[in-house]
C-alpha cells in the first residue's frame, strides 16, 4: 500500500529521472498535432485564435531543445529544432532565432560584442519607427538572418539555416500535393501573428522594468499556462533546467496583466527600461547550452 503523501515523492522522483524528458517530447508532438489538426479541419476564422495559442506553446517547447534540456547530447536537440523549422515552415528563421536566443542568454540585457542585431532591445536597431518595429521578434530575425554568414556569429549555423529552408520547401510541397495548399498561407498567418504579438509581449515583460530595478528578469502570472516559461528568473539562473522543474524565485510575481501593460509602458509611455545584466554569481557553472554548438 502506498503511504499517504508518497504520491508527491513518486512524482518528484519521476520528474528528475531519466524518462522525464518523454513529457517534453510527447507534449511537443501532441501540441503540434493539435495545431495542424485544428488548422486543417476548422474554418480559418474559428481556428485562428486557438492555433495562435498552440503555436506560441510549440515555440516555448522548442525553446527547451534550443537549450538542450531534453537530450543528453545537444546535437539531438538541435536536430529537433531544425525539424520543427521545417514543420512550421519558418524557412531557416528558427535557426536564426536559436542563435539570437543563445546570444541573449550569454549577454543578458547588454549588447553582445559584434552582435548588435542579436540584442533583444529596439535600441540595437536605432530609434524611431524602425527601432520600434525591431522589437517584433519576426522583424529582428529577418534583419539578423545575414549574421549567419559572418564568422563572428558562432551561434547561428549556416548549414542549419539552409536545412530549415529546404525542409520548409518540402513541407510546402507536401501540403500542395495533398490538395491542402491553403495550409501554407494559414500556417504563415498564424505563425507570423504569434511572433509579432504574443511572443513580443512576452519578451517585453520578461526583461523590462522601471528605472532603478536591480533585477535581471521578471516572473509573472499567466491566465493560460505557458509551460512555466513565466518562471523566468530560474530559467536564466540555469537554462538547462527543464520546464517542469522550474520554480518561483520571488514571493510576489507580477500580475498577469503585466503581460500586456509592460509593452505599453516600455514603448508607448516610455516608463520602463531594459533590466540589469545578470550578476555573475547567479550564472550556473558549466552552462554548456549557451556555448557555440556543433550541428
Amino acid at each position: 500500500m502506498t503511504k499517504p503523501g508518497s504520491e508527491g515523492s513518486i512524482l518528484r522522483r519521476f520528474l528528475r529521472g531519466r524518462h522525464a524528458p518523454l513529457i517534453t517530447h510527447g507534449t511537443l508532438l501532441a501540441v503540434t498535432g493539435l495545431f495542424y489538426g485544428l488548422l486543417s479541419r476548422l474554418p480559418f476564422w474559428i481556428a485562428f485564435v486557438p492555433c495562435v495559442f498552440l503555436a506560441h506553446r510549440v515555440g516555448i517547447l522548442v525553446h527547451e531543445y534550443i537549450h538542450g534540456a531534453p537530450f543528453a547530447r545537444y546535437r539531438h536537440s538541435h536536430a529537433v529544432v531544425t525539424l520543427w523549422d521545417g514543420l512550421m515552415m519558418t524557412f531557416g528563421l528558427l535557426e536564426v532565432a536559436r542563435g539570437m536566443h543563445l546570444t541573449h542568454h550569454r549577454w543578458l540585457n547588454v549588447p553582445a560584442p559584434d552582435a548588435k542585431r542579436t540584442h533583444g532591445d529596439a535600441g540595437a536597431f536605432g530609434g524611431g519607427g524602425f527601432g520600434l518595429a525591431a522589437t517584433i521578434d519576426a522583424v529582428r530575425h529577418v534583419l539578423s538572418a545575414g549574421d549567419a554568414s559572418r564568422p563572428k556569429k558562432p551561434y547561428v549555423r549556416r548549414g542549419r539555416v539552409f536545412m530549415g529552408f529546404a525542409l520548409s520547401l518540402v513541407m510546402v510541397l507536401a501540403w500542395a500535393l495533398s490538395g491542402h495548399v491553403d495550409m501554407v498561407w494559414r500556417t504563415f498567418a498564424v505563425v507570423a501573428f504569434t511572433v509579432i504579438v504574443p511572443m513580443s509581449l512576452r519578451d517585453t515583460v520578461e526583461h523590462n522594468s522601471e528605472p532603478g530595478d536591480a533585477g535581471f528578469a521578471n516572473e509573472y502570472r499567466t491566465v493560460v499556462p505557458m509551460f512555466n516559461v513565466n518562471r523566468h528568473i530560474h530559467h536564466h539562473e540555469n537554462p538547462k533546467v527543464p520546464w517542469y522543474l522550474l520554480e518561483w524565485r520571488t514571493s510576489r510575481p507580477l500580475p498577469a496583466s503585466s503581460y500586456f501593460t509592460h509593452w505599453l509602458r516600455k514603448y508607448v509611455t516610455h516608463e520602463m527600461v531594459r533590466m540589469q545584466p545578470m550578476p555573475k554569481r547567479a550564472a550556473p557553472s558549466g552552462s554548456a547550452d549557451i556555448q557555440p554548438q556543433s550541428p
Side-chain angles (χ1 to χ4, degrees), residues 38-90:
L38 293 179
L39 199 59
S40 62
R41 294 178 180 275
L42 296 177
F44 184 68
W45 67 274
I46 295 178
F48 181 78
V49 171
C51 283
V52 166
F53 277 91
L54 291 170
H56 191 184
R57 280 140 189 85
V58 167
I60 292 171
L61 289 168
V62 170
H63 166 255
E64 293 286 297
Y65 296 87
I66 286 176
H67 286 292
F71 288 107
R73 296 185 177 181
Y74 189 84
R75 67 171 180 265
H76 296 152
S77 290
H78 202 171
V80 172
V81 176
T82 304
L83 178 60
W84 255 256
D85 203 340
L87 286 175
M88 302 303 290
M89 293 179 283
T90 49

Side-chain angles (χ1 to χ4, degrees), residues 77-230:
S77 290
H78 202 171
V80 172
V81 176
T82 304
L83 178 60
W84 255 256
D85 203 340
L87 286 175
M88 302 303 290
M89 293 179 283
T90 49
F91 289 90
L93 289 180
L94 186 54
E95 172 62 19
V96 177
R98 186 190 73 89
M100 292 176 66
H101 188 71
L102 294 181
T103 299
H104 162 73
H105 274 263
R106 178 65 180 82
W107 291 282
L108 181 62
N109 298 333
V110 296
D114 193 40
K116 279 189 174 182
R117 292 197 184 278
T118 59
H119 183 42
D121 207 351
F125 294 84
F130 183 71
L132 183 59
T135 65
I136 299 172
D137 284 351
V139 175
R140 286 191 286 115
H141 294 171
V142 171
L143 293 173
S144 301
D147 289 350
S149 64
R150 299 184 183 184
K152 294 185 179 181
K153 300 294 186 290
Y155 301 106
V156 179
R157 300 299 182 183
R158 285 176 291 177
R160 293 286 179 166
V161 174
F162 297 141
M163 192 179 299
F165 191 92
L167 289 174
S168 297
L169 288 178
V170 170
M171 194 68 176
V172 170
L173 182 61
W175 282 120
L177 292 177
S178 66
H180 296 283
V181 70
D182 62 314
M183 284 295 294
V184 177
W185 70 259
R186 286 178 177 226
T187 304
F188 285 170
V190 171
V191 171
F193 183 86
T194 302
V195 176
I196 290 171
V197 180
M199 291 183 68
S200 295
L201 292 173
R202 200 184 89 213
D203 174 74
T204 304
V205 70
E206 286 172 353
H207 294 289
N208 291 276
S209 187
E210 296 176 354
D213 189 333
F216 59 85
N218 288 318
E219 295 184 324
Y220 53 99
R221 300 289 184 183
T222 61
V223 176
V224 182
M226 295 197 299
F227 298 115
N228 290 338
V229 73
N230 51 307

